[in-house]
């Protein structure tokens, strides 16, 4: 459990600043993080925590920024099985990440 992440979430909500919370809800195969891993994204684009880094985390970050704008929760499927731009992916699994706006 990431105490710093929860502390930041509480403080942001206390200040009335919306944040997006991304949580790994399902992992299949080899993935960098397992269910329960969290990342908190602020409106300025900064974040705390991680759901694994790299391209998959960047994809989740983009969806979190969209959720901060439209308020709609979404599930992002992070597929780490297919090569991107000719490079092999390290993990080879798939994660479902639930992204929700809080506040």
């Amino acid at each position: 459990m990431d105490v710093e992440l929860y502390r930041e979430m509480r403080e942001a909500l206390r200040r009335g600043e919306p944040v997006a919370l991304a949580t790994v809800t399902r992992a299949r195969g080899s993935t960098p993080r397992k269910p329960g891993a969290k990342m908190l994204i602020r409106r300025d684009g900064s974040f705390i925590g991680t759901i694994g880094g790299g391209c998959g985390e960047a994809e989740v970050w983009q969806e979190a920024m969209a959720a901060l704008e439209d308020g709609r929760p979404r599930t992002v499927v992070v597929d780490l099985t297919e090569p991107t731009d000719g490079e092999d992916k390290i993990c080879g699994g798939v994660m479902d990440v639930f992204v929700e706006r809080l506040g």
Side-chain angles (χ1 to χ4, degrees):
M1 181 165 69
D2 191 332
V3 174
E4 187 179 350
L5 183 143
Y6 287 107
R7 185 179 306 128
E8 176 62 27
M9 181 180 0
R10 183 185 67 230
E11 289 302 310
L13 295 174
R14 185 185 58 75
R15 292 187 304 265
E17 298 171 9
V19 291
L21 182 63
T23 306
V24 175
T25 57
R26 184 175 172 202
R28 297 165 309 284
S30 178
T31 60
R33 298 297 304 267
K34 300 302 177 202
K38 295 183 185 329
M39 180 169 79
L40 187 73
I41 302 93
R42 301 174 192 99
R43 192 164 258 184
D44 68 1
S46 62
F47 61 92
I48 186 169
T50 182
I51 54 97
C55 296
E57 190 162 280
E59 183 179 348
V60 170
W61 179 89
Q62 286 181 317
E63 290 296 328
M65 296 305 287
L68 283 167
E69 288 301 313
D70 65 26
R72 291 191 325 250
R74 59 210 3 118
T75 296
V76 182
V77 178
V78 178
D79 186 345
L80 303 170
T81 61
E82 296 297 321
T84 301
D85 298 331
E87 297 178 19
D88 290 336
K89 300 271 183 129
I90 295 171
C91 296
V94 178
M95 295 187 302
D96 294 343
V97 182
F98 183 67
V99 179
E100 60 186 320
R101 176 184 162 147
L102 305 175

